[in-house]
Amino acid sequence: MKVELIVPNSLNEVTLGQYQEYIKLKDLSEVEMSLKMIEIFCNLNSEQVRYLKATDVSAVISIISEMFDSKPGLINTFKIEGIEYGFIPNLDEMSFGEYIDLDTYIGDWDNIEKAMGVLYRPVEMRKGNRYHIKEYEAGDTEHLKAMPLDAVLGSILFFYRLGNDLCEITMNSLGDMEKEDLQVLLNSEKNGVGTQAFMHSLNKIFEDLKISLN
């Protein structure tokens, strides 16, 4: 059987949906995992994969594994079926409802497309590099499973680094007593749960991805 093999070599060639399918794989042998990786990321069925040369399979797995070692930057826009989606231009204007949905789903790989629905929305107007996105409406985000994985990981990395930078700037600007007071505040279940939970969710994501943040 002749098999056409198209191997992704960058994260923008992998969809969120494919990655969600991949991370659900558990308790597989190395051979079984290799089989499923090629099925998912190269869009082949199990029978087609079995017709590949063993050396080709090894090379493909190496390319895919190396691809996941990359750390993408923030992706401002991408297209799905001809529709342009843009990253929320002004985080300061995020509503409380948007923050709640982002905080709820950012660490949930089964539903992370809902968090992406907060961050990325259809571009309604563009002028040069500036654009205006559609107002946020909580609802069906199944279509965002087709978004490129580099946009997903890039936005998560962006928030992780932003949170760390803000914490560092804040701590550097405080005296010793103020630092102690701030730490108590952040550790308080009553006052600090939102910030802590959000950063914990981001940390958990990178543990799942096995991506180094250094």
Side-chain angles (χ1 to χ4, degrees):
M1 176 187 291
K2 186 176 181 180
V3 177
E4 182 179 2
L5 183 62
I6 301 176
V7 184
N9 55 22
S10 69
L11 293 175
N12 68 359
E13 298 175 31
V14 174
T15 67
L16 170 57
Q18 286 176 309
Y19 193 75
Q20 287 175 311
E21 186 179 352
Y22 167 65
I23 60 175
K24 290 179 181 177
L25 301 177
K26 295 179 180 179
D27 303 323
L28 297 180
S29 68
E30 185 176 347
V31 172
E32 290 172 327
M33 182 63 78
S34 296
L35 177 70
K36 295 302 293 184
M37 285 179 70
I38 295 177
E39 282 183 40
I40 293 170
F41 297 118
C42 301
N43 295 306
L44 299 177
N45 59 45
S46 58
E47 183 180 357
Q48 290 173 316
V49 175
R50 290 178 183 277
Y51 274 93
L52 297 174
K53 293 180 181 179
T55 53
D56 289 342
V57 169
S58 178
V60 170
I61 295 302
S62 178
I63 292 171
I64 294 175
S65 298
E66 184 177 341
M67 174 182 67
F68 282 116
D69 287 336
S70 62
K71 299 180 181 67
L74 180 65
I75 306 299
N76 288 310
T77 62
F78 59 82
K79 288 186 178 181
I80 299 176
E81 296 184 354
I83 298 176
E84 185 178 28
Y85 290 78
F87 186 79
I88 183 169
N90 192 340
L91 293 173
D92 291 336
E93 294 183 359
M94 185 181 293
S95 70
F96 186 54
E98 289 173 280
Y99 174 78
I100 290 174
D101 288 348
L102 179 61
D103 185 52
T104 299
Y105 297 111
I106 193 70
D108 180 3
W109 272 110
D110 289 335
N111 296 287
I112 200 169
E113 68 276 4
K114 296 182 185 297
M116 293 300 112
V118 176
L119 298 178
Y120 288 98
R121 284 170 252 158
V123 173
E124 292 187 323
M125 182 176 64
R126 170 184 280 282
K127 187 174 183 180
N129 292 326
R130 302 180 65 181
Y131 56 82
H132 177 76
I133 58 175
K134 185 178 179 182
E135 288 289 328
Y136 177 66
E137 295 179 3
D140 182 26
T141 52
E142 189 73 15
H143 59 285
L144 287 176
K145 290 186 177 184
M147 70 182 287
L149 189 60
D150 62 342
V152 179
L153 300 185
S155 64
I156 295 169
L157 270 167
F158 170 78
F159 278 106
Y160 183 89
R161 289 166 177 160
L162 178 64
N164 278 348
D165 288 346
L166 288 175
C167 286
E168 183 176 349
I169 291 170
T170 301
M171 295 300 283
N172 287 341
S173 67
L174 299 177
D176 292 337
M177 291 299 294
E178 292 173 311
K179 288 180 182 179
E180 291 180 10
D181 291 341
L182 178 61
Q183 194 60 53
V184 170
L185 179 64
L186 290 175
N187 290 334
S188 165
E189 290 185 0
K190 179 179 179 181
N191 297 310
V193 66
T195 302
Q196 279 199 310
F198 191 75
M199 291 303 291
H200 175 74
S201 295
L202 298 183
N203 274 302
K204 185 178 183 302
I205 282 178
F206 290 110
E207 287 174 6
D208 292 340
L209 292 170
K210 295 181 175 59
I211 288 180
S212 169
L213 293 170
N214 297 325

